[in-house]
Amino acid sequence: MRKKVIAGNWKMNNDLMESEKLIVELKNLLQNEKPNCDVIICPPFTSLSEASKLVKGSVIKLGAQNMYFEESGAFTGEVSASMLKSVGCEYVILGHSERRNIFDENDKMINKKIKKALSAELKPIFCVGELLEERENGTTKEVIKKQVLKGLESVSADEMQSIIIAYEPVWAIGTGKTATPAQAQEVHEFIRDLIEIEYSMEVSMNLVILYGGSVKPDNAKQLLSQIDIDGALVGGACLKADSFMGIIKGA
Ligand code: PEP
């Protein structure tokens, strides 16, 4: 039985003080609940160290939003996997559509990042998703297949135990337009089948696949009740403790 996962991607929001405030509020809300899911927050790099101290002893786990695939050296502005580990990260979001589309990250680079994260014992939250025009011209599954297979190139069945895949249709991110539960389920099932073909039934059945794209407290329950949707990657709605909590309760 797969455990549900609710992950919050803070994106480029919250300075140090705002981060501390949000984490304290979330911890207070979680204190009175026994969440039926894993809760992950992914603050910006500048808040990770402090966030790591604040989440200690709570159910909240820590992730970063990106990293570079090299170990160290002349890569101005980049952050390595071991640096993320050193500030207490357990997870890292890789291949987010904003990284792909604003910062031109391609499947090859994302694959290098995934392999580096795994070798540093960071768990990738590997994002895939089609653009609006790709959905409209009927190539969604083709696009997802390419992103999944290229992103996971030479990742072993054993390493797959540490990977979470997030299906995030680009047209649903930050737009208020959510995929219907049926649309999301169809792609999640497609991804799970693909993993079964590439790896095994066991790997595919254990794989956690999150949905992301305008998840809110009022649509979370319906999405999360789909058989292949194991949780949510949440952007906008994770920036307020009560709305993130609403989604956690939906799980
Ligand atoms: C995201 O950025 O991963 C995301 C899903 O954003 P939002 O929930 O705001 O659509």
Side-chain angles (χ1 to χ4, degrees), residues 107-108 110-112 114-115 118 126 146-156 159-160 163 198-199:
D107 292 324
K108 198 170 171 193
I110 294 160
N111 174 250
K112 284 186 184 176
I114 288 175
K115 286 195 290 189
L118 289 167
F126 166 37
K146 177 177 158 287
Q147 290 177 350
V148 169
L149 297 185
K150 289 206 175 290
L152 295 178
E153 217 166 87
S154 72
V155 170
S156 70
E159 288 172 324
M160 281 301 290
I163 290 200
E198 284 302 306
Y199 293 92

Side-chain angles (χ1 to χ4, degrees), residues 4-147:
K4 292 254 190 286
V5 174
I6 303 295
N9 172 13
W10 292 15
K11 310 196 189 194
M12 197 173 74
N13 292 294
N14 294 330
D15 65 18
L16 188 57
M17 270 176 62
E18 290 162 339
S19 299
E20 287 169 352
K21 183 169 174 279
L22 180 52
I23 293 169
V24 169
E25 285 170 1
L26 188 60
K27 269 186 11 177
N28 287 341
L29 292 176
L30 279 164
Q31 235 167 26
N32 310 319
E33 297 283 330
K34 270 254 167 291
N36 198 18
C37 59
D38 282 343
V39 177
I40 305 168
I41 58 166
C42 303
F45 292 138
T46 46
S47 296
L48 286 174
S49 181
E50 203 51 40
S52 166
K53 291 176 202 149
L54 284 171
V55 300
K56 237 178 223 131
S58 79
V59 299
I60 305 170
K61 297 166 184 227
L62 192 63
Q65 299 172 23
N66 186 30
M67 49 158 263
Y68 197 52
F69 54 77
E70 294 288 355
E71 185 58 44
S72 63
F75 304 102
T76 302
E78 294 294 333
V79 166
S80 72
S82 53
M83 289 170 186
L84 296 181
K85 283 290 282 185
S86 77
V87 291
C89 286
E90 193 178 334
Y91 296 87
V92 59
I93 298 173
L94 295 173
H96 191 279
S97 65
E98 285 149 20
R99 299 299 317 172
R100 292 177 189 264
N101 299 321
I102 304 173
F103 299 99
D104 284 336
E105 290 194 11
N106 58 33
D107 292 324
K108 198 170 171 193
M109 182 187 263
I110 294 160
N111 174 250
K112 284 186 184 176
K113 291 185 176 196
I114 288 175
K115 286 195 290 189
K116 185 66 195 181
L118 289 167
S119 74
E121 294 182 349
L122 274 174
K123 297 173 189 158
I125 301 176
F126 166 37
C127 304
V128 296
E130 81 285 5
L131 301 167
L132 181 60
E133 71 238 42
E134 293 165 337
R135 174 153 288 264
E136 286 176 346
N137 67 24
T139 56
T140 297
K141 288 184 180 167
E142 214 175 290
V143 170
I144 299 298
K145 182 173 179 183
K146 177 177 158 287
Q147 290 177 350

Side-chain angles (χ1 to χ4, degrees), residues 189-207:
E189 188 180 355
F190 175 74
I191 294 172
R192 203 176 299 287
D193 288 348
L194 198 58
I195 296 299
E196 183 178 338
I197 295 164
E198 284 302 306
Y199 293 92
S200 67
M201 166 90 114
E202 194 191 349
V203 171
S204 85
M205 292 316 285
N206 288 330
L207 175 68

Side-chain angles (χ1 to χ4, degrees), residues 9 11 96 98 168 172-175 212-216 233-237:
N9 172 13
K11 310 196 189 194
H96 191 279
E98 285 149 20
E168 300 205 302
I173 296 180
T175 58
S214 298
V215 177
K216 305 271 179 297
L233 180 54
V234 184

